[in-house]
Amino acid sequence: MRILVKDMAAAAGKQPDAELEAAGWVHRIRDMGGIRFVILRDRSGLGQLVLAEDSGAPAFTLESVIRVRGLPALNEKAPGGAELRVASLEVLSRAAPDLPYQVNGDISKIGLEAILDNRPLSLRNPKIRSVFKVQDTIVESFAAYLRNRDFTEIKTSKLTAGSTEGGTNLFQVDYFDRKLYLAQSPQLYKEAMVASGLERVFEIGPVYRAEKHDTPRHLNEYVSLDLEIGFIESELELIELERELLAHIFGEVARKNGPDLAAWGASVPGPEDLARAPTLSYEEALKLANEEAARDKKASASSRIFDINPEAERLLCEWSRREHGVDLVFVNAFPRRHRPFYTYPLAESGKSGAGTLTMSFDAIFRGLEISSGSRRQHDYDAVVEALPKFGLKPENMAGYLQILKYGCPPHGGFALGCERLTQKILGLGNVKEASLFPRDRRRVEP
Ligand code: AMO
């Protein structure tokens, strides 16, 4: 039976006389003259094989897939503390010798474009692959946390008749004899499912943003971790939910991905750190960002910050780390002009009726917005009135309007960008590194 390289040392300790079978990719070959050391890579890591010159093994190349049998032996110099002395070797798939990408190379010396151009090969690098082990834990723990709190997972269509988030960043799709768009977010569907009576739903799925700019924080296709919950009164409840959800996700990443975090020299905040993360209103956050900019050498001293832009996000997190010991800030009460049509207005003290602020918030982690959310407007007339002001057509939203017209509870939710969260947990320079096969303005392959 095949064993994984990570279990080789234990097997060598227990039964050194029993022949073992291992299989995987040839990660490295060191020819010592008379003896060859081969590093074998399987899903569990790296292990050492020892081949005598007279082993009679067929020829193989780096990245070939091989199966070997032999006796295990403890060797503290070998990765994992053991090696397999090979008695027989079979080449299951021979790799062509002209590898365009050095899988066992130091990735800090390889540019991002080369890494992405050769994605099927670069993903074989254990450090690069570890990004997606962490992402797996994020997705799994997001779902597990919510399921434990009576949320139901939903999957909704990615083909829509119009915009949900406002703006023009939509990809048009030919759909028989009409035009549709790739969904920017499951926003309206997740609200519909709250009103269906499920009350608490979440969705993990791709969303599409036709943003033309190429920045380290933007993808044109990303995975959105969405949730929506009925019977809430304010975005402050959502902030507390996100704080606990993040504590769970970070806890699981720390528990399951120790070696992956170590490979990137990364760590995650603990629950006590998250408990200290401050909530600032948009106005307070802007004021603070400007004060920080005035004392920060990296900030462009002359220009005032008028919006929570990337510079403000960096400055706010630096402030929070210094003052609260945590790199996470929640910003709420955004002005209406910055939020989509569905955002609920904030009743401002001293003003009658709906003001210009909204019950909305963002979470900024390690200098980057990782999530956005709000309480939603559930009043049918208010939404019908708002739609045209946002350039939206009520006739494209008949299904959504129906749910508001016939009994919809007060509700709200938020969405976390899966790749951005992965990026910030591991300290990756570019969000594209956290996407298996990223799509940007130029890149549609592989
Ligand atoms: P928003 O548009 O702010 O909100 O998106 C939510 C989160 O998704 C991530 N994100 C992105 N990640 C990578 N590339 C992009 N181009 C990109 N755009 C957004 C960010 C962001 O915080 N419907 C609302 C959510 C809600 O209110 O429930 C929405 O989609 O991490």
Side-chain angles (χ1 to χ4, degrees), residues 269-292:
E272 62 296 339
D273 300 317
L274 295 180
R276 291 194 305 270
T279 302
L280 304 168
S281 72
Y282 176 85
E283 206 178 307
E284 287 167 336
L286 262 191
K287 185 164 169 283
L288 210 114
N290 277 298
E291 285 166 9
E292 285 295 298

Side-chain angles (χ1 to χ4, degrees), residues 165 184-185 187 190 209 211 217-220 222 224 226-228 342 362 369-374 376 413-417 419-420 431:
E165 303 305 311
Q184 291 171 302
S185 135
Q187 183 63 37
K190 64 178 179 169
R209 303 281 169 106
E211 282 150 356
R217 52 168 66 204
H218 288 98
L219 291 162
N220 292 117
Y222 69 92
S224 186
D226 268 272
L227 68 84
E228 196 73 15
Y342 51 74
D362 281 357
E369 178 204 313
I370 55 161
S371 77
S372 200
S374 63
R376 325 301 187 185
F414 59 88
L416 278 154
E419 292 83 354
R420 284 195 184 181
V431 72

Side-chain angles (χ1 to χ4, degrees), residues 322-365:
R322 197 178 66 236
E323 299 296 325
H324 300 274
V326 61
D327 237 341
L328 175 71
V329 182
F330 293 98
V331 177
N332 69 346
F334 279 76
R336 169 147 295 288
R337 67 180 183 282
H338 288 303
R339 305 305 276 204
F341 76 91
Y342 51 74
T343 316
Y344 198 84
L346 186 67
E348 289 163 68
S349 56
K351 292 186 187 167
S352 62
T356 53
L357 301 180
T358 55
M359 285 192 171
S360 55
F361 73 102
D362 281 357
I364 309 171
F365 177 49

Side-chain angles (χ1 to χ4, degrees), residues 236-288:
L236 298 176
E237 293 162 70
L238 298 168
I239 291 175
E240 289 321 302
L241 175 63
E242 180 163 353
R243 200 191 293 275
E244 287 174 23
L245 172 63
L246 286 175
H248 178 73
I249 294 174
F250 292 154
E252 286 298 282
V253 169
R255 190 172 70 80
K256 291 187 175 167
N257 298 96
D260 306 318
L261 289 173
W264 289 93
S267 62
V268 282
E272 62 296 339
D273 300 317
L274 295 180
R276 291 194 305 270
T279 302
L280 304 168
S281 72
Y282 176 85
E283 206 178 307
E284 287 167 336
L286 262 191
K287 185 164 169 283
L288 210 114

Side-chain angles (χ1 to χ4, degrees), residues 365-387:
F365 177 49
R366 296 180 174 167
L368 179 69
E369 178 204 313
I370 55 161
S371 77
S372 200
S374 63
R375 180 178 165 181
R376 325 301 187 185
Q377 177 57 272
H378 65 292
D379 180 79
Y380 173 80
D381 293 327
V383 170
V384 170
E385 196 191 308
L387 284 175

